[in-house]
Structure formats: C-alpha cells, structure tokens
C-alpha cells in the first residue's frame, strides 16, 4: 500500500535508503546533504536498518570505502555535495572504471571559491566525464523515486556503473513537499538483491581487482565503459517503465511539457523545471506558444530523445545552472552538438542561478518574451543570456 | 618468444578485473634491481627474520632453512640485510658481480 507523506528532499531520500537497507554506507557531512545522512544515522541507531555505517574522515575516504565495499560484493552508497564531490574526484573515476555499482545521492551546490552553500550545478557538471550515470530530479517525489531506480540501473548486468542521483540544494533538499512512498515490501521487491558476478569475497573464484595496465590494454577497458553507457540508455527507460507499472509514475530520459505544438522550447534540468512549467502556462495565455523539455538523464546524454523532442521547433533556449569556463553552459553545448546537422532551430544559452541566485516566474517570463522576438526576426544573439546577473 | 595475442574489448573481463588470484607471481620484477642481496650461509642462523620482513615474499625457505633469494621477484630493497641479526646479508651492486657469481 502506497503512503502519502510530507518530507523534505533529504528526508525522502533517507526514507528510500531505509527501505533499500544497503550493506555499507561510508558518509561524511556537507551542507546541504548533511541532514540526509543524519536521518539515515538515526535509522541505524534505532535498529531499523542493518547497514554498516562508517563515519569516515573525508569524502575522498567515503568514496574509497564505497569502492572497496562494492567490489567486495556489498551494496554501497554515500551522499555528498559541492566540494565534497570535488574531493572525491580521483575516486569517482576509479569507481566507474572498476565498474562498481555504487549509488550516490548528490545534492547540487556551488563549488568554491567564493564559498557558497547554495544551489548550483557546477559540482556534478564537473564530474560529467567521470563515467557515472547522472540523473536529475525536479522535486521531492522524483528524488525519492530516482534513488530506488538508481540501484536497478547501477546493478543491471549490462550497465554495472555507479549512479549519481541529484536534487537541487536547499530548493528540494530542504523543502517539505507531499510525496507518495512505496510500502517497504514493494520497495524492497522492486530494488531486489545485489548479486555481483565478480566480488572480492567470492573465495571460490579468487580474482584481482584494481589492477595496473600498460599502453596495450587501458583503451579497451574504456571502450567497455562506452558500451555500458550505451546500454544504460536502454536500461534507464526499462527501469523507468517498470517503476511506472508499480507506482503510476513512469520515468524516462526527458519529460516534455506543452511541447507538441510549441514554436519555442526551453530546455532545463532540476527544480527550475517546476517554475518553467508555470511560466509556460502564463506565456501561453499571452499568446506565446512555448513548451518545456525537462531533461532527467544527463549521463548518458540522451541525444536522440532530446533532438527528437525538439524537432520542428524554431527557437530553443537552454538553461544552465553552471558554466564550463571558456566554453559556456554544459547543457547548451551538449544539446546543440547533439542536434548538429539535424536541426535548424535558433538557440541561446541562458545562464542562471549560480550560487543559488534566485530564478523566479517573472525572470523566466521575461526570458521567454526576449527569446520570442527571434520567432519574428529570425535572428538570435550568439552571446549567452545571464539571467539574474547584475551587469 | 611468441607474440602474445592481445584481446579485444569484447573478450575482456570488465573493470580491469584479473580473473585469477595470486597473479603477481607471474610478473617478473627481478629486473628492477640495482643492488642484490648476498647471504653468507656460514653465518646465517636461519632465524627467518629476512623471510618474514621481505615485502616481495622472495626469501626461499625449505624445511626450516633459508636456501636463498627468489631472483625473479627480489627488487633489491635491502630490508633483509637491514633486519638480519647476525648481519650476514650484504647488498651488492649487481653490475659488479661477474657472470655466474654468487648472489641471493
């Protein structure tokens, strides 16, 4: 029996992890993730889970311990944000390359400097090359739903890659929203048992993990990772459909909102999509035929799904809550590159919300009206729009 | 020596996992040495201090007696010479030892 609760994003993810009851969680605190692990630690203290929770000395240690546990055959998870993710950087690559199906909850927060604890996507964007599956949530419900699906995606024999499940710092993590949770038995049944093919503790088949290779083999291991990411595209959709049959909430790579008959599309990740949906409704009332393409899966990059959804649009505005300095917004550049040779829409990069700078309904409506001018002129400014910046 | 057939990415076990245990034995690290231990067996008491301290498990032992050094795996670190109580192990520049000369 599903149950309706009111939880913050952090508590919802902790609740989901409680239902999963992972074997090992090495954890280190960082705002705005801390409360998630605090809540989980309470479950451990109350004896509600039998997870081995290790309070490590740094995030580098947290990920190292998670890799060791995972390769030993344990279901391992951790959580972090911002600089904590940055401190794990070396080991993120090790986790993905060793094909350890770790699930990490990442609460998006700006990277220093200056020190800023608020919502920004620069942390996970900085890890986009590490080989992890990356999935964004729009709200508390999605944060909960994604964490359960993450285990099925990571541990699928055709994938065997670690998964990063994101939620916006403070905006989702600390906001109380209503959500529907599965009953414990259904959640446990959906996630299933972790049955790794290769594990350190399989003493009947001794193996070596974390080996050294020379120029003659490294390349092939990387090609295997490429294949695993390709398979993840299919697996994420399969798992999302199965979850939909169980809960009524089906998930895929993207979610279009009023996009079918739209002339103009906005593309975005995370909680801002919620605000954009409101803005779309109001803009349509003003006569602007605009729609939203919410992107859920960032890695593997769902090029076909995105380009397909934007087919026939005349203007595309891509929202980025981070900057790849010297290039521009990562989502914008990846969307445009995916569409190369296949689309003739005009497009503009909208950079917003860095360091938790607010993005509200009025600002998005103003952005829509500006972009709508290109529908008439057939021209688009090549420079990014910096929405909310004091110029 | 025959050319080893290199595997394609489709044939390899993923993640750099080596599908056997104890494979370090197959890798010849003896070629990394500069200095090589030389044991004076007239003074060796077979106390096993060198055997237990060697990081490469390269002290050869049989029936409770030290026989010598596994020259395929000894890296010449000198720990054996350092811990030997009667100081009967000397680290000698391997290049100075003539062909067929005593070492190990």
């Amino acid at each position: 029996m599903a149950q309706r609760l009111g939880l913050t994003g952090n508590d919802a993810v902790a609740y989901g992890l409680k239902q999963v009851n992972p074997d090992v969680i090495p954890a280190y605190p960082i705002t705005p993730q801390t409360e998630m692990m605090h809540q989980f630690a309470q479950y451990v203290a109350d004896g509600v889970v039998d997870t081995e929770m290790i309070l490590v000395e740094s995030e580098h240690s947290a990920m190292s311990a998670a890799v060791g546990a995972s390769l030993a055959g344990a279901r391992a998870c951790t959580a972090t944000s911002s600089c904590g993710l940055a401190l794990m950087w070396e080991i993120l690559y090790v986790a993905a390359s060793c094909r350890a199906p770790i699930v990490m909850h990442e609460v998006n927060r700006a990277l220093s400097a200056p020190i800023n604890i608020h919502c920004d996507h620069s942390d996970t964007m900085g890890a986009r090359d590490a080989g992890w599956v990356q999935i964004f949530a729009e709200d508390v419900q999605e944060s909960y739903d994604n964490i359960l699906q993450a285990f099925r995606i990571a541990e699928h024999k055709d994938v065997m890659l670690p998964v990063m499940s994101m939620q916006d710092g403070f905006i989702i993590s600390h906001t109380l929203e209503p959500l529907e949770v599965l009953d414990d038995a259904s959640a446990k049944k959906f996630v299933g048992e972790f049955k790794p093919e290769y594990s350190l503790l399989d003493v009947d088949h001794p193996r070596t993990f974390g080996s050294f290779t020379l120029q003659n083999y490294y390349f092939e291991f990387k090609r295997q990772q490429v294949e695993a990411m390709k398979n993840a595209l299919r697996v994420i959709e399969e798992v999302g459909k199965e979850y939909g049959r169980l809960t009524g909430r089906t998930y895929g790579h993207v979610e279009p909102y009023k996009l079918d008959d739209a002339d103009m599309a906005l593309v975005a990740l995370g909680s801002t999509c919620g605000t954009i949906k409101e803005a779309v409704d109001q803009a349509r009332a003003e006569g602007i035929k605009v729609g939203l393409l919410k992107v859920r899966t960032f890695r593997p990059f769902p090029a076909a799904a995105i380009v397909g959804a934007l087919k026939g649009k005349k203007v595309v505005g891509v929202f980025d809550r981070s900057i790849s300095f010297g290039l521009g917004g990562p989502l914008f550049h990846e969307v445009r590159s995916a569409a190369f040779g296949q689309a003739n829409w005009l497009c503009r990069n909208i950079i917003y919300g860095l360091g938790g700078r607010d993005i509200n309904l009025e600002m998005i409506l103003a952005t829509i009206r500006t972009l709508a001018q290109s529908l008439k002129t057939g021209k688009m400014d090549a420079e990014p729009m910096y929405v909310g910046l004091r110029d | 020596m025959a050319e080893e057939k290199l595997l394609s990415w489709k044939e390899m076990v993923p993640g750099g996992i080596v599908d056997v245990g104890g494979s370090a034995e197959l890798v010849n690290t003896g070629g990394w040495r500069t200095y090589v231990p030389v044991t004076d067996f007239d003074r060796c008491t077979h106390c096993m201090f060198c055997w237990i301290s060697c990081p490469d498990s390269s002290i050869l032992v049989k029936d409770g007696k030290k026989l010598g050094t596994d020259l395929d795996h000894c890296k010449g670190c000198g720990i054996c010479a350092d811990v030997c109580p009667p100081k009967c192990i000397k680290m000698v520049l391997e290049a100075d030892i003539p062909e067929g000369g005593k070492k190990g």
Side-chain angles (χ1 to χ4, degrees):
Chain A
M1 256 317 275
Q3 202 190 343
R4 208 159 156 75
L5 299 175
L7 292 174
T8 62
N10 273 339
D11 284 347
V13 173
Y15 191 94
L17 285 183
K18 168 177 76 87
Q19 295 181 308
V20 172
N21 191 12
D23 296 308
V24 178
I25 293 192
Y28 191 86
I30 184 167
T31 305
Q33 168 278 110
T34 309
E35 287 81 4
M36 197 235 109
M37 282 300 173
H38 274 176
Q39 180 56 67
F40 194 83
Q42 188 67 58
Y43 292 138
V44 173
D46 292 344
V48 166
V49 291
D50 34 37
T51 309
E52 178 83 32
M53 190 167 185
I54 314 171
L55 302 181
V56 289
E57 67 274 23
S58 79
E59 288 88 346
H60 184 100
S61 298
M63 187 49 64
S64 300
V67 170
S70 182
L71 294 180
R75 194 174 249 163
C77 325
T78 189
T80 196
S81 302
S82 177
C83 316
L85 184 68
L87 192 56
M88 288 177 176
W89 196 75
E90 174 193 358
I91 314 297
L92 292 178
Y93 281 76
V94 173
S97 312
C98 282
R99 312 294 294 276
I102 296 164
V103 169
M104 172 157 69
H105 187 61
E106 219 283 352
V107 183
N108 284 111
R109 162 187 153 178
L111 286 167
S112 309
I115 307 177
N116 178 295
I117 59 170
H118 291 282
C119 179
D120 178 308
H121 293 162
S122 56
D123 53 0
T124 56
M125 285 303 172
R128 59 186 161 138
D129 289 346
W132 282 59
V133 169
Q134 293 186 316
I135 296 177
F136 282 83
E138 181 190 327
D139 53 29
V140 171
Q141 179 72 73
E142 293 197 0
S143 293
Y144 169 81
D145 291 339
N146 285 347
I147 205 79
L148 295 182
Q149 293 174 68
F151 290 94
R152 291 287 304 279
I153 296 164
E155 295 166 10
H156 194 286
K157 62 169 177 57
D158 296 339
V159 177
M160 286 307 274
L161 289 173
V163 173
M164 230 182 261
S165 167
M166 269 76 87
Q167 69 174 323
D168 282 349
F170 286 106
I171 302 169
I172 308 179
S173 65
H174 285 61
T175 301
L176 194 136
E177 288 188 312
L179 78 152
E180 199 176 87
V181 299
L182 289 165
D183 62 274
D184 290 353
S186 301
K188 199 121 187 95
K189 184 160 178 257
F190 173 78
V191 173
E193 289 285 310
F194 177 39
K195 295 195 181 84
E197 192 179 346
Y198 306 103
S199 92
L200 272 166
L201 291 176
D202 179 2
V203 297
D204 296 324
H205 301 97
R207 294 185 178 97
T208 302
F209 293 74
S211 56
F212 172 89
T213 67
L214 289 169
Q215 304 92 321
N216 60 359
Y217 267 109
Y218 182 89
F219 204 167
E220 281 70 24
F221 288 118
K222 300 299 122 184
R223 177 63 183 87
Q224 289 177 334
Q225 284 176 253
V226 169
E227 200 66 14
M229 275 289 192
K230 249 194 244 173
N231 294 338
L233 274 172
R234 187 195 83 231
V235 169
I236 289 168
E237 286 192 313
E238 283 171 5
V239 171
K241 285 198 183 97
E242 186 185 326
Y243 196 79
R245 287 192 291 274
L246 187 63
T247 61
R249 298 183 297 279
T250 302
Y251 286 89
H253 298 305
V254 298
E255 182 197 310
Y257 180 77
K258 300 195 175 170
L259 199 58
D260 272 348
D261 67 332
D263 295 320
M264 188 161 85
L266 304 181
V267 185
L269 295 156
S271 64
T272 307
C273 292
T275 320
I276 295 179
K277 285 175 186 172
E278 263 316 302
V280 160
D281 291 346
Q282 287 199 27
R284 279 186 170 256
E286 279 173 33
I288 305 175
K289 280 166 73 182
V290 60
L292 163 71
L293 182 66
K294 175 173 113 186
V295 176
R296 172 176 178 251
T297 312
F298 185 72
R299 280 292 182 273
F301 189 72
I306 291 176
V307 173
L310 295 176
K311 196 173 156 74
K313 306 302 159 219
K314 302 194 180 67
V315 167
V316 174
V318 183
F319 282 70
D320 268 295
R321 202 161 195 159
S322 64
I323 299 176
S324 176
F325 296 101
L327 176 68
L331 184 63
F332 170 75
H333 282 275
E334 297 197 6
V335 167
R336 192 171 69 174
S337 170
F340 184 73
Q342 298 176 69
N344 49 17
W345 25 258
L346 296 167
C347 57
R348 190 135 188 228
N349 193 187
I350 294 122
I351 309 243
Y352 76 99
L354 302 192
R357 179 63 51 90
D358 196 20
I359 180 81
N360 62 30
L361 199 49
E362 262 321 305
M363 292 157 84
I364 297 173
L365 280 166
T367 306
I368 291 172
R369 290 180 200 118
T370 304
L371 291 171
Q373 296 187 12
S374 296
L375 286 169
K376 300 195 196 90
T377 64
K379 290 194 175 63
M380 182 67 84
D381 196 330
E383 279 299 297
M385 271 176 87
Y386 294 95
V387 171
L389 174 75
R390 291 184 303 277
D391 215 341
Chain B
M1 192 175 84
E3 186 67 21
E4 181 199 328
K5 181 194 174 268
L6 297 173
L7 301 170
S8 107
W9 66 269
K10 294 175 195 151
E11 297 167 303
M12 288 152 51
V13 174
I17 294 168
V18 180
D19 213 358
V20 290
S23 55
E25 211 182 350
L26 301 169
V27 183
N28 185 328
T29 50
W32 302 11
R33 272 197 310 271
T34 304
Y35 286 84
V36 67
V38 181
T39 308
D40 178 355
F41 283 100
D42 291 335
R43 292 178 47 240
C44 172
T45 62
H46 306 278
C47 67
M48 298 298 141
F49 271 47
C50 56
W51 170 81
I52 209 166
S53 308
C54 176
D56 288 308
S57 305
S58 290
I59 304 294
L60 300 170
V61 169
K62 195 175 157 137
D63 299 329
K65 295 261 197 262
K66 176 179 175 178
L67 298 177
T69 308
D70 173 2
L71 294 174
D72 283 338
H73 293 100
C74 165
K75 293 197 191 91
C77 71
I79 286 173
C80 55
D82 198 69
V83 302
C84 174
K87 290 271 163 275
C88 71
I89 305 175
K90 271 213 301 278
M91 296 308 293
V92 176
L93 199 64
E94 195 156 13
D96 285 349
I97 298 179
E99 189 80 31
K102 188 169 106 57
K103 52 185 171 182

